[in-house]
Amino acid sequence: MDSLNQIEIQNIRHVVGCLSNVCCKINYYKTLTNDTEITDLYDQICTQSTTLKEELTNIL
């Protein structure tokens, strides 16, 4: 991936922004449940989203 065109860069930025929103929404959903399995799953999703966001940001 040596050269990205402008549209590809914009798409990556869009995905990075969406991943930030995912963690915000997940943190809200965690407040709606007391089930530890669900909250653990939400934590995993947020961690993976953050990792993917960092990897995509490093591409730019």
Side-chain angles (χ1 to χ4, degrees):
M1 242 192 305
D2 292 333
S3 61
L4 296 172
N5 65 37
Q6 191 66 30
I7 292 173
E8 292 166 333
I9 292 171
Q10 287 175 343
N11 287 338
I12 291 172
R13 288 182 181 155
H14 179 73
V15 170
V16 167
C18 290
L19 289 170
S20 296
N21 289 336
V22 165
C23 282
C24 291
K25 289 181 181 184
I26 285 174
N27 286 328
Y28 169 72
Y29 295 144
K30 280 174 48 176
T31 65
L32 301 177
T33 185
N34 293 327
D35 187 352
T36 57
E37 289 182 26
I38 299 293
T39 56
D40 290 344
L41 179 63
Y42 285 155
D43 286 336
Q44 289 176 358
I45 292 169
C46 193
T47 301
Q48 291 174 355
S49 296
T50 303
T51 302
L52 179 57
K53 181 177 130 182
E54 290 170 359
E55 290 177 8
L56 288 173
T57 302
N58 289 337
I59 290 174
L60 301 178

